[in-house]
Amino acid sequence: MLTLKRIPQSVLLALYGGAAFASLIPAAFAQSTAQAPATTPVAAGTPAAAAVQDSIQSVNVVGSRRVGSSSSTDTPVPIDFIPMTKASEQGGQFDLAQVLNNVSPSFNSTRQTGADGADLVDSAALRGLGSDQTLVLVNGKRRHTTALVNLFGARNRGNTGTDMNAIPVMAIRNVQVLRDGAAAQYGSDAIAGVLNIELKKNLGCEMALGFGQYTEGDGDNYLASAYCGVAVGGGVLGITGEYYDRGRSNRAEEGNPRIIGDTKSQNSTVYLNGEFPTGPGKLYVTAGAQNRDASSAAWAREGVGSEDIPSRNSAAMYPNGFVPFINGDINDHYGTLGYRFRLGEWNTDVSQTFGQNRMRYTIANTLNASIANLDRQRGGRGVSASMFGAGGFSFRQATTNLDFSRFYEGIGNGMNVAFGFEHRRENYQINAGEPGSWIDADGVGVGGNAGSQGFPGFQPGDETDSDRHSNAAYLDIETDLSERLKLQAALRHERYSDFGATTTGKLAASYRINPAVLLRGSASTGFRAPSLQQVYFSSTFTDFVSGQPLDVVLAPNGGRVANAAGIPQLKEEESKSYTLGLTWSPGAATSLTADLYRINIDDRIVLSGRFDADNYPALGATLQQLGVGQAQFFVNSVDTKTQGLDVTLSHRMDLGAGKLNAFLALNFSKTEVTGVHAPSALVGFEDVLLSERERLFIEEGAPRRKATLGFDHTVGKLETALRIVHFGPQTLGTFSGPPVPNQYYKPKTSADLSFTWAFTDKTKFTVGGTNIFDVKPSEQDPNETDNGFKYESVQFGLNGAAWFARLSHKF
């Protein structure tokens, strides 16, 4: 990673002066700064970015392992720096995923509803690809993914991802977004790009209190967050504590028994981050833990007079129908312990990172209809328990790194050589629920359906305790061939215990045409290993198709159902990535970047369509034995091509008695399925393997364009921030298919507005609104949407306008 120096606050002010992104300020960059000026995100490769990189102490810059940067060095790949201080002090979004979603056009994170476990976790994704194709680092070290596989919803279907909201915004110094393929540098998952979350470790204390609510009077949000950096043993230990309570919202129409909106969530989080001189080097530590109690509303079951009695309800328990709640108890733990020192002429870094994500389900306000029906047959009222422990799953990851780097001044204008080794172990477990959550008490097809309504529990046959490990070695060289030309090359070989070895490479370069203009480009190969979650996940669940319930089995790779269907063993996805761009900085007040990109992915792992006795008769007998109607699988079956353009433009100027900062960022992205490769046993069933509906989830799960326009005006003690976010159109599929038209979502534009009053340099009060014009997605036929509502969770969500207030203070 790149080690940087420090410049005075006055230089930072001269470089930036204020924020077009109303949620960001540079105190995330400048340590021990009492009053830091507001800033915009800065694209690496511009003179402004180079000056910042030359000035800031101990910043890890994603995408580079160079040591001893100077102001003449520009990164040859596009990197955005997003300071987080203003977001933690004044922002209208309280969690990291929503902050980034409203700031970075390349980033997508749509809060789901009606999507079971996916409602409880907001995953990260870049450039319209899946959340498991974006690698997330913390202080330059790989962060674990969640145990959850997203099965429903318009985004990230069949993907795992990283839970962005497990890290409090108050703990974060900045987020660096590498918009380039980087598997040759960091390994699996970095196909779309890399997010590096740099945590604070500066002296001083600060706190923030926040409240927010939708204008319809629900979805109350309460936030209490504090950070304190204390001197310990000659170093600094930063401690962050946060409590965040997000209330449930409901946008279902009057008379609709559904609950459609935000899940209820209570997060308690603690994070530590520090660095201490020890012996000849520095000991560093990061540790974090979050407990989240979350509750998602499932589909409603109807009451007396409906087909749900006795199949999915009991008149004795819920005569008017009921809404089951999928309650998730989520525990997330992360830690890194490392030591940096000099070994001769080499900078050496040895570290151990551990991460675990565990989720256990409790299904409340429910019943097992088969138990209730059996009770009725035996002369009882027809009741069962109304709450069941439905089991859950966990994912653990332990990563050991040994890294070396050295800068050679005598080769060209300087050359940095880095190499290292990585060993990673992973474990995935599924634990069965209590018998009442899955048992069929009265026999298949007789009376009530088996399992807890809302989410049938994991069965003993679903249980797994699976491990794998991988070993990797890499070589990374960065050379200043001249004052104008920079070259970067990387090579990585990695071997997995479950599917074999892969070798990837990357070549990137930048050329400064003149002091204001820099050309840059890169070409790389990449890969993504199939996650253990995709290989071993197994569950029988209830889905609703056009409002009708259907039991579906998601069969694990290598299991009886998958083998009967001829599904081969999963292997890695392979990618080729290309970027070409330029930066233009005519002066300290203006900066422009533009980058074209193309990402080809072969053998992409997707969640298949649903096979049943009608569309695949050879599988019918096996499904009948399991008592389910349909089966799905994970399979390497799709090739995709993603092309796009990223543009950023920032400008600052004096306006009247104050200062105005403006920022425009745009992303244009188009993903196309270029090939469907059916396993030999499924040749001729390509339309089931990847239906048009599932294809559209891949191609248009995220808007094909997104833009953010921000204005930040400061005069005296008053700061006014306006942010306009435009989301392009999306087309999603339907259950019925032709001649029923697809779901078309028109382009929509949202706006956030806030006012901040600085009582003192240390105390600020902010009040404002998000989506102030109450914009919502285009209405659709509820029978054709995935969540059964009049629109999916797309673009900016479905809740409408909200207002918020924040009070922040620095000690």
Side-chain angles (χ1 to χ4, degrees):
M1 300 305 254
L2 186 62
T3 301
L4 303 172
K5 304 176 183 176
R6 181 188 177 103
I7 55 172
Q9 176 187 357
S10 60
V11 179
L12 286 172
L13 180 60
L15 285 171
Y16 303 115
F21 277 145
S23 61
L24 311 174
I25 67 174
F29 282 138
Q31 294 191 21
S32 305
T33 303
Q35 176 79 20
T39 72
T40 63
V42 182
T46 66
V52 172
Q53 292 178 5
D54 187 45
S55 66
I56 301 160
Q57 185 179 17
S58 299
V59 173
N60 293 323
V61 178
V62 69
S64 173
R65 289 187 169 90
R66 184 165 189 154
V67 176
S69 167
S70 67
S71 60
S72 64
T73 300
D74 299 316
T75 306
V77 291
I79 305 172
D80 296 328
F81 293 84
I82 306 177
M84 284 287 116
T85 302
K86 181 170 283 189
S88 65
E89 291 181 347
Q90 301 169 227
Q93 286 81 28
F94 290 178
D95 57 59
L96 180 59
Q98 291 302 304
V99 168
L100 294 176
N101 196 49
N102 284 271
V103 168
S104 174
S106 298
F107 180 93
N108 285 284
S109 181
T110 305
R111 188 175 290 171
Q112 299 291 314
T113 185
D116 287 4
D119 293 1
L120 311 179
V121 176
D122 293 343
S123 297
L126 290 173
R127 289 180 159 179
L129 294 175
S131 58
D132 52 10
Q133 289 153 339
T134 296
L135 175 63
V136 178
L137 309 175
V138 175
N139 292 339
K141 306 298 182 181
R142 175 181 287 265
R143 181 173 170 83
H144 59 283
T145 60
T146 69
L148 175 75
V149 179
N150 295 315
L151 302 180
F152 303 104
R155 286 294 292 132
N156 296 319
R157 295 168 70 89
N159 293 172
T160 55
T162 302
D163 186 356
M164 301 300 292
N165 297 338
I167 305 175
V169 175
M170 178 67 77
I172 303 172
R173 188 183 194 183
N174 65 76
V175 176
Q176 302 157 19
V177 184
L178 170 60
R179 295 180 276 111
D180 191 38
Q185 296 166 290
Y186 299 106
S188 179
D189 305 346
I191 287 178
V194 181
L195 295 169
N196 183 39
I197 300 171
E198 188 82 17
L199 301 181
K200 295 177 183 175
K201 54 175 183 287
N202 57 281
L203 291 170
C205 299
E206 55 188 305
M207 54 79 66
L209 300 174
F211 174 77
Q213 184 186 71
Y214 293 114
T215 54
E216 295 198 24
D218 59 6
D220 292 0
N221 281 232
Y222 299 89
L223 176 72
S225 191
Y227 167 85
C228 201
V230 296
V232 177
V236 179
L237 177 65
I239 307 170
T240 305
E242 181 174 279
Y243 176 76
Y244 176 35
D245 187 331
R246 186 179 78 193
R248 199 188 305 277
S249 63
N250 187 13
R251 295 295 168 268
E253 308 91 335
E254 185 176 354
N256 186 338
R258 295 285 309 280
I259 297 176
I260 298 291
D262 288 350
T263 59
K264 181 179 179 180
S265 179
Q266 294 177 329
N267 301 353
S268 299
T269 315
V270 175
Y271 255 79
L272 309 177
N273 186 52
E275 187 175 77
F276 319 97
T278 306
K282 288 187 177 181
L283 178 73
Y284 58 92
V285 60
T286 302
Q290 182 184 85
N291 293 329
R292 180 182 306 170
D293 293 323
S295 177
S296 170
W299 282 70
R301 272 56 169 175
E302 297 181 358
V304 175
S306 72
E307 294 182 356
D308 285 349
I309 294 180
S311 61
R312 299 178 186 274
N313 191 5
S314 169
M317 294 184 66
Y318 305 105
N320 298 318
F322 66 101
V323 174
F325 292 104
I326 302 172
N327 297 334
D329 179 11
I330 306 172
N331 305 113
D332 193 277
H333 301 90
Y334 177 84
T336 295
L337 180 65
Y339 190 62
R340 297 189 184 98
F341 60 100
R342 296 274 293 186
L343 186 63
E345 297 296 321
W346 292 87
N347 297 281
T348 306
D349 184 350
V350 57
S351 65
Q352 178 65 52
T353 300
F354 174 82
Q356 180 178 26
N357 181 266
R358 184 178 69 91
M359 181 183 295
R360 295 194 64 83
Y361 289 130
T362 299
I363 315 304
N365 198 48
T366 185
L367 83 164
N368 182 322
S370 72
I371 295 177
N373 190 56
L374 182 62
D375 180 56
R376 187 182 305 107
Q377 293 175 7
R378 293 175 175 176
R381 295 175 52 244
V383 298
S384 81
S386 60
M387 180 181 294
F388 298 97
F393 32 72
S394 66
F395 177 70
R396 294 199 312 269
Q397 185 178 83
T399 307
T400 305
N401 291 100
L402 178 60
D403 303 298
F404 302 91
S405 63
R406 180 177 175 180
F407 187 75
Y408 293 88
E409 294 185 354
I411 301 178
N413 277 28
M415 180 177 74
N416 194 84
V417 176
F419 69 94
F421 308 93
E422 179 178 282
H423 174 74
R424 190 165 69 250
R425 301 195 69 89
E426 296 175 335
N427 173 266
Y428 178 63
Q429 296 182 22
I430 298 177
N431 304 112
E434 61 180 279
S437 71
W438 52 266
I439 195 170
D440 186 355
D442 63 353
V444 176
V446 180
N449 288 80
S452 48
Q453 292 296 305
F455 183 89
F458 290 105
Q459 303 178 21
D462 296 325
E463 289 192 316
T464 188
D465 186 352
S466 303
D467 299 276
R468 77 168 172 205
H469 65 270
S470 66
N471 295 293
Y474 72 87
L475 175 66
D476 191 309
I477 300 174
E478 297 181 48
T479 308
D480 296 348
L481 297 177
S482 68
E483 291 186 357
R484 292 173 178 253
L485 180 61
K486 325 292 179 183
L487 185 67
Q488 181 184 72
L491 186 69
R492 186 183 185 96
H493 180 77
E494 194 149 355
R495 178 174 294 276
Y496 281 76
S497 60
D498 53 350
F499 69 81
T502 182
T503 301
T504 55
K506 180 174 182 176
L507 186 65
S510 66
Y511 182 76
R512 184 161 292 285
I513 297 177
N514 57 50
V517 179
L518 176 81
L519 290 178
R520 62 190 180 192
S522 69
S524 64
T525 60
F527 78 102
R528 187 186 75 81
S531 68
L532 289 180
Q533 296 90 315
Q534 291 175 321
V535 177
Y536 294 104
F537 184 81
S538 174
S539 178
T540 301
F541 53 86
T542 304
D543 192 14
F544 281 74
V545 178
S546 299
Q548 298 301 311
L550 182 69
D551 286 338
V552 182
V553 61
L554 201 159
N557 197 248
R560 181 162 62 101
V561 178
N563 290 340
I567 303 298
Q569 180 182 359
L570 291 180
K571 60 180 181 178
E572 77 275 20
E573 302 174 349
E574 297 181 342
S575 68
K576 295 182 177 66
S577 179
Y578 310 91
T579 65
L580 179 64
L582 63 83
T583 72
W584 176 60
S585 297
T590 305
S591 176
L592 170 71
T593 73
D595 294 277
L596 292 163
Y597 61 90
R598 176 170 174 171
I599 306 168
N600 295 334
I601 305 177
D602 294 335
D603 298 321
R604 188 166 169 177
I605 300 171
V606 297
L607 183 61
S608 76
R610 295 176 178 176
F611 291 88
D612 56 35
D614 293 328
N615 60 36
Y616 191 36
L619 196 61
T622 301
L623 295 178
Q624 187 176 9
Q625 291 175 10
L626 293 172
V628 296
Q630 295 184 328
Q632 288 181 278
F633 317 93
F634 285 105
V635 58
N636 295 89
S637 62
V638 170
D639 298 339
T640 63
K641 177 179 68 177
T642 300
Q643 299 181 102
L645 170 67
D646 289 320
V647 177
T648 67
L649 174 64
S650 62
H651 181 71
R652 63 180 180 85
M653 59 182 289
D654 294 331
L655 182 65
K659 293 185 179 296
L660 176 68
N661 295 271
F663 189 89
L664 174 65
L666 306 97
N667 171 257
F668 301 89
S669 180
K670 182 179 181 180
T671 296
E672 298 177 283
V673 173
T674 57
V676 179
H677 310 295
S680 57
L682 298 179
V683 171
F685 297 93
E686 286 83 359
D687 58 335
V688 182
L689 186 66
L690 186 73
S691 65
E692 181 184 27
R693 179 171 174 270
E694 294 298 330
R695 176 181 60 80
L696 287 169
F697 280 131
I698 295 172
E699 294 183 339
E700 301 202 40
R704 288 189 165 180
R705 69 173 182 262
K706 185 180 173 186
T708 299
L709 176 63
F711 300 95
D712 190 284
H713 183 253
T714 303
V715 55
K717 293 180 177 292
L718 179 64
E719 180 180 352
T720 304
L722 173 66
R723 181 171 57 222
I724 300 169
V725 185
H726 172 77
F727 297 85
Q730 289 177 258
T731 299
L732 298 179
T734 59
F735 288 107
S736 302
V740 175
N742 288 321
Q743 306 174 57
Y744 177 72
Y745 292 89
K746 298 178 181 178
K748 298 287 183 176
T749 302
S750 174
D752 300 343
L753 178 65
S754 67
F755 304 93
T756 298
W757 182 260
F759 293 101
T760 68
D761 289 345
K762 296 183 177 181
T763 305
K764 297 178 181 180
F765 179 72
T766 304
V767 64
T770 60
N771 192 8
I772 57 176
F773 298 116
D774 199 31
V775 181
K776 295 178 181 177
S778 307
E779 293 191 10
Q780 311 292 329
D781 181 354
N783 290 320
E784 301 295 344
T785 63
D786 197 61
N787 62 10
F789 188 53
K790 60 184 177 183
Y791 32 71
E792 303 276 16
S793 302
V794 295
Q795 297 167 323
F796 41 79
L798 48 74
N799 284 288
W803 68 275
F804 73 94
R806 274 191 191 248
L807 176 66
S808 65
H809 181 71
K810 294 182 178 179
F811 299 92

